[in-house]
Amino acid sequence: MTATPEHERPGRIMAREIREQPEVLRRLLGTGAARIQDVARQVAARAPRFVLLTARGTSDNAALYAKYLLEIRLGLPCGLASMSTTTAYGARPDLRDVLVITVSQSGGSPDLVASTKAAREAGAITLAVTNNPDSPLAAVSEHHIDIMAGPEKALPATKTYTASLLALYLFVEGLRGADGSAEAAVLPDLAAELLTRQDEVRTLAARYRFAGRMVITSRGYGYPTAKEAALKMMETSYIPALSYSGADLLHGPLAMVDNISPVIAVVTDGQGGIALQPVLDRLRGRGADLMVVGPEAQVARASAGFVLPTTGVAEEVQPVLEILPLQLLAYEVTIARGQDPDAPRALAKVTETR
């Protein structure tokens, strides 16, 4: 049998872009960090009293991560914007002294551009975080951060997600007058190490390739990871993957958990992981097929899992690593199901919502 040529292999683009992530992180920590610090100093000088975060899809999950950072590290109240209030209903709130952060890989979606433009006209300090400094979004924003991920061609976003997380972390640290680079310096090498463990993920994929649905849960800084992992699984393999905060899971959805449909728990080593423990106990009590992504001690108590290096890794930057095995899992499950993760059906790289 003739092997499929590399340029025709399903998922080759997504696989390549997953492997590029350690270098993207290094680049951002190198040439990008000083620029992010400069933007942070300019924004901090304006002393915003509130933050609104605007995004869609994968970028929305990165924005949620920023919400945790801003509220925990800076004590700034934050909200996730409902763009239709501006674009569909024409609302014009008073946004003086409000920082509006719009996160977008392409910077091209009309609703993101329109809502950011309206926010600036309403007095907001506007910041675009994109992978395209020449985008319409960057043009209408007062400030811009380039995540420097390079062209991303696979429809499922991978490297732009982790680059957005790191850029947002460095920005928030800059707002509080800190550097952040020292805490993040371990990430590129650890990311490279994790990506060598694809065989472990392939074994997990064989376990879950026939799943009819999945539940993915976490708390704290890990919750955006759970949401992003669910999105990746749905858009590549088409498996319905429901993401819940561990606290929300106990408020009703726990009733649907059984010993057939897998539950993936993202256990951050820190306060988020501590808060998740009662949820894990309840899941084990229900006989759930529980897969844990997290510290070794947590994986040892689960049905399956993937051990993350957490020693010396600050809790707030662990999400950059947590998502990597879950990106690989989405990729491997999709390949095992005979589908092409590079080109999910019915999706376009730039989604133009209004």
Side-chain angles (χ1 to χ4, degrees):
M1 177 182 262
T2 304
T4 304
E6 172 64 26
H7 69 279
E8 296 178 6
R9 195 170 301 160
R12 67 191 183 281
I13 303 173
M14 183 180 179
R16 184 182 68 238
E17 290 173 353
I18 288 174
R19 292 193 300 268
E20 289 174 9
Q21 289 176 103
E23 184 53 38
V24 171
L25 299 175
R26 288 191 187 95
R27 184 161 61 241
L28 200 51
L29 284 168
T31 58
R35 297 174 188 172
I36 294 171
Q37 283 282 313
D38 184 54
V39 172
R41 280 192 293 268
Q42 294 179 55
V43 172
R46 303 273 294 277
R49 58 182 173 84
F50 189 87
V51 181
L52 278 176
L53 294 144
T54 307
R56 297 284 191 203
T58 284
S59 294
D60 199 35
N61 299 327
L64 179 60
Y65 167 72
K67 184 177 188 291
Y68 277 92
L69 286 173
L70 287 158
E71 291 184 343
I72 296 169
R73 306 288 283 174
L74 279 149
L76 270 177
C78 298
L80 298 176
S82 300
M83 282 170 278
S84 62
T85 61
T86 298
T87 60
Y89 292 93
R92 291 295 181 265
D94 181 357
L95 296 179
R96 287 172 294 178
D97 301 323
V98 174
L99 171 60
V100 173
I101 303 174
T102 306
V103 186
S104 171
Q105 171 204 304
S106 67
S109 186
D111 58 349
L112 294 170
V113 175
S115 62
T116 301
K117 183 175 183 291
R120 188 171 181 180
E121 292 170 350
I125 309 158
T126 52
L127 167 65
V129 179
T130 81
N131 196 38
N132 184 1
D134 298 320
S135 63
L137 179 60
V140 300
S141 300
E142 184 178 356
H143 303 283
H144 178 256
I145 288 174
D146 182 0
I147 65 172
M148 304 175 65
E152 189 174 59
K153 296 181 179 179
L155 284 175
T158 53
K159 63 179 181 174
T160 53
Y161 179 69
T162 49
S164 295
L165 296 188
L166 180 54
L168 288 163
Y169 169 75
L170 294 173
F171 171 71
V172 173
E173 288 301 285
L175 284 182
R176 57 192 291 266
D179 186 328
S181 296
E183 289 79 2
V186 298
L187 296 176
D189 287 347
L190 289 177
E193 177 189 326
L194 288 177
L195 294 176
T196 66
R197 296 165 57 191
Q198 191 158 355
D199 285 348
E200 292 180 48
V201 179
R202 195 169 291 123
T203 299
L204 292 168
R207 180 187 182 99
Y208 298 127
R209 64 179 291 192
F210 297 115
R213 70 166 186 244
M214 290 182 177
V215 172
I216 307 180
T217 188
S218 188
R219 291 204 69 180
Y221 288 116
Y223 180 41
T225 306
K227 290 177 68 66
E228 175 61 12
L231 176 60
K232 284 292 150 293
M233 192 63 67
M234 288 187 287
E235 70 182 352
T236 56
S237 71
Y238 318 140
I239 295 174
L242 308 174
S243 59
Y244 294 100
S245 156
D248 287 331
L249 185 62
L250 297 184
H251 283 265
L254 184 67
M256 71 176 173
V257 172
D258 53 30
N259 62 356
I260 299 173
S261 300
V263 178
I264 299 174
V266 180
V267 185
T268 303
D269 189 11
Q271 292 303 311
I274 292 170
L276 191 64
Q277 290 311 305
V279 183
L280 299 177
D281 291 341
R282 291 286 297 277
L283 289 168
R284 283 188 286 262
R286 288 189 60 80
D289 180 359
L290 178 62
M291 170 185 160
V292 165
V293 175
E296 185 173 10
Q298 297 293 338
V299 172
R301 299 182 63 200
S303 307
F306 188 97
V307 175
L308 290 177
T310 56
T311 302
V313 185
E315 180 179 3
E316 54 268 19
V317 297
Q318 288 177 35
V320 178
L321 303 177
E322 289 167 352
I323 192 60
L324 299 179
L326 294 166
Q327 290 174 347
L328 288 174
L329 183 65
Y331 169 85
E332 291 292 350
V333 167
T334 305
I335 294 295
R337 288 162 69 96
Q339 295 152 198
D340 185 355
D342 284 345
R345 63 193 181 200
L347 296 182
K349 189 62 178 171
V350 179
T351 303
E352 296 191 353
T353 47
R354 295 186 182 275

